Amino acid sequence: GWNPDPVLLLSLLLIGRLYARGLARVWRAGVGRGAAGWQAGCFAAGLLTLFLALASPLDALSGELSAAHMA
């Protein structure tokens, strides 16, 4: 089943919050500075991928299906 580890969840939420806060500050600084929207989306996708790899049932699988966890 799913692993609702509070340390994992809080860590990912904290990282996302800090990134969003910094990104908002950079975007307020002006056009052409900082990260593009697609880069922020890639960061969010990376956090989601970490969450799925570490908290989903994929983490507990063994054998052939563990390749899905590693991918």
Side-chain angles (χ1 to χ4, degrees), residues 1 3-4 8-9 11-12 16-18 24 28 33 35 42 49 51 55 59 61 67-69 71:
N3 176 18
L8 171 67
L9 297 177
S11 297
L12 292 175
R17 171 82 172 140
L18 290 173
R28 277 194 304 267
R33 296 186 175 177
C42 287
T49 302
F51 171 74
D59 192 39
L61 294 176
H69 164 78

Side-chain angles (χ1 to χ4, degrees), residues 3-46:
N3 176 18
D5 181 17
V7 173
L8 171 67
L9 297 177
L10 288 175
S11 297
L12 292 175
L13 287 173
L14 178 64
I15 290 167
R17 171 82 172 140
L18 290 173
Y19 182 82
R21 180 191 237 175
L23 188 63
R25 290 180 73 187
V26 167
W27 282 351
R28 277 194 304 267
V31 177
R33 296 186 175 177
W38 68 268
Q39 292 170 319
C42 287
F43 184 84

